[in-house]
Structures are given as structure tokens and as C-alpha cells.
Amino acid sequence: MWPIKRKIPFIEVFLFFCFFCFASQSFASSYFLESSDAAETPTEISQGLVFGTHVGGFYYIKGIEAMLEGTLQYRLHKNHAAGVFFSFSFPESQIDLGADYRLYLFSSFSNLSEDFLHLGISGTYFEKFKKSYWVPKLSLSYGKDVKIVKKAPFALRFSIGGSYLFGEPLARKNNSFSVQESHMVLYVKTGVLFF
């Protein structure tokens, strides 16, 4: 009997990702163990208004695309930040314009780095077979802001995550008779923030 291939639903991936973030936050914050030492007062890496640029790549349907992104973020609270972003990918032209939210989970490395969970909502413009589409997209990622030197006016940002396009999917032509489509996109980004 042949094995049956099963598509992994988006909700299962989302729930696994949330569980992973909760578990890593719990262990890192000594949730399960009582700490005898007094905790240091955490200092946020990115206070107030910050801006930055990112480069990265994303993967869908057996292909990799390059991406450039600009972001503007405001730290609302010790653990919360909101912002806007604009990204452009190539060689297959795709443009994103949207808003995002970051939940900062915990600090590490003597308060020189912060881990965050990112949720983004955007509109995505792309062309598929000589037709233009503008579709909503939901993004979820896990990342880290790292300061190399304590008093530096910048920090490095690393993130990995995925996006889901609602409505029209992205597509690639395998040959003149075959087309593959995908709503899901995986990506890795790195960049620098200035404050």
C-alpha cells in the first residue's frame, strides 16, 4: 500500500509555533524553577522610535527569492512595540506594505539581547501570468534584537518565520503544462536598527 501524503494545515503550524515560544519563554525566565538570585532590572534595547533595514530571503514552491525591507517601530511599553514596514522582493516582483506588532519575551546576555514574537498584517502586490493581484497577508515570526556594544546607537535583528496569503496564491510555472501554487511562504531576515 502506498503512503498517503497529507498536507499540514496552517493552524497546526501556528499552534506548534505558539507552544515553542511559550516553552522557550518559560524556561528562559525561570518560570519552572525558583531563582535564589535577585533578577537584574531589564533595559530595553530599542526604546522609543527606531528605524531599520533588513535583507533576507524567502522560500516557496522550491524556489528562493531575495528581499529588502524598511521598518519603523515605536516601543509602546517594556514588552510591546508597534510599527509599519515596506518590503520588496526580487527577481519575482512582490511588494508588501503593512503594520506589525512585537511582543518582547525576555532579555539575555546581560540584557544585550531581547527575544520577540512578531505578528504582521500587510497587503501584498504581485503579478501572476500577466495579471496583477493585491491580497492580504498574515506573518508570524520569532526573532532576536542584539546589541554588540552596550552604548552603541544600533542593534542587529535576526528573525525567522512564515507568511500566509489569503485569496490568490503565489505560483510558479514548472513547464508549459504544469503550474504549482502556494499560499505559504517561509523566510529568514537579518538587519540593523538605529535609535
Side-chain angles (χ1 to χ4, degrees):
M1 178 173 254
W2 295 99
I4 298 172
K5 288 187 179 179
R6 182 175 83 91
K7 289 185 179 178
I8 299 174
F10 178 71
I11 192 71
E12 287 182 17
V13 173
F14 177 76
L15 291 175
F16 174 77
F17 188 74
C18 289
F19 172 75
F20 172 76
C21 292
F22 170 76
S24 63
Q25 178 186 9
S26 298
F27 285 114
S29 63
S30 301
Y31 181 77
F32 295 110
L33 299 172
E34 287 190 25
S35 176
S36 58
D37 301 331
E40 290 183 23
T41 305
T43 58
E44 299 96 22
I45 288 179
S46 56
Q47 301 175 357
L49 188 65
V50 298
F51 65 94
T53 59
H54 303 97
V55 296
F58 64 92
Y59 171 84
Y60 70 96
I61 318 174
K62 302 177 186 174
I64 297 175
E65 305 287 334
M67 171 176 43
L68 295 173
E69 182 179 88
T71 184
L72 185 67
Q73 173 184 309
Y74 185 77
R75 192 75 171 250
L76 303 167
H77 181 263
K78 182 177 115 175
N79 295 331
H80 307 280
V84 293
F85 65 93
F86 172 80
S87 69
F88 173 74
S89 62
F90 54 91
E92 298 286 334
S93 290
Q94 184 176 326
I95 298 172
D96 285 354
L97 180 62
D100 55 12
Y101 164 79
R102 282 180 177 80
L103 172 64
Y104 284 89
L105 304 171
F106 55 87
S107 298
S108 55
F109 300 115
S110 301
N111 295 327
L112 288 179
S113 77
E114 291 181 296
D115 290 49
F116 62 84
L117 182 64
H118 165 262
L119 176 68
I121 299 171
S122 63
T124 301
Y125 171 83
F126 62 93
E127 291 186 2
K128 183 168 85 170
F129 309 131
K130 299 182 180 178
K131 286 187 180 178
S132 299
Y133 295 96
W134 183 262
V135 297
K137 181 166 83 170
L138 180 68
S139 303
L140 184 65
S141 66
Y142 187 81
K144 183 181 278 286
D145 291 343
V146 180
K147 230 177 178 184
I148 304 296
V149 181
K150 199 167 195 175
K151 302 221 179 220
F154 66 91
L156 303 178
R157 174 170 284 172
F158 307 95
S159 61
I160 183 169
S163 300
Y164 188 85
L165 279 82
F166 296 93
E168 191 67 28
L170 297 171
R172 283 192 201 274
K173 237 180 181 182
N174 293 334
N175 52 52
S176 55
F177 304 106
S178 172
V179 173
Q180 284 186 307
E181 295 185 328
S182 175
H183 288 276
M184 191 79 176
V185 174
L186 303 175
Y187 62 84
V188 176
K189 292 188 288 191
T190 184
V192 61
L193 296 174
F194 298 97
F195 38 88

